[in-house]
Amino acid sequence: SLAKPQTKAITITEDGQVFLDTYPVSLDELRTQLSALKAANPDLPVVVKGDTVVQYGKVMEVLDLLGQVGITQMGLVTQKLAK
């Protein structure tokens, strides 16, 4: 099928900024956009990315938001900072 689901990437930076794909978003904007995407694709896959120094609290806020929106196809990716 040509209609394969497109995975959405949520990136959390060291300073707590959240991005949906490459666009900076607030948590409210993230909720709105993910709700719309999930309405169009109930099996919407999402990957949450962050480096090892990301604030744990911000990751938990994003994971909680995903649960509230009903997204169950989710993965976590951690990347170490290059020094």
Side-chain angles (χ1 to χ4, degrees):
S1 169
L2 295 175
K4 291 185 179 180
Q6 181 180 0
T7 301
K8 289 295 175 184
I10 299 169
T11 304
I12 305 167
T13 63
E14 180 179 353
D15 63 1
Q17 175 66 56
V18 178
F19 291 80
L20 179 58
D21 293 329
T22 58
Y23 302 99
V25 291
S26 69
L27 289 179
D28 286 339
E29 291 167 335
L30 181 64
R31 179 189 313 276
T32 300
Q33 291 186 36
L34 288 177
S35 294
L37 291 165
K38 180 157 174 52
N41 176 10
D43 295 324
L44 179 70
V46 173
V47 174
V48 179
K49 299 178 180 180
D51 60 44
T52 56
V53 294
V54 165
Q55 303 166 12
Y56 188 71
K58 184 61 81 172
V59 173
M60 293 309 296
E61 286 182 69
V62 169
L63 294 179
D64 185 50
L65 185 149
L66 292 176
Q68 291 172 16
V69 173
I71 291 175
T72 57
Q73 301 294 320
M74 174 186 44
L76 295 171
V77 177
T78 303
Q79 300 169 333
K80 290 186 178 180
L81 288 174
K83 293 192 177 191

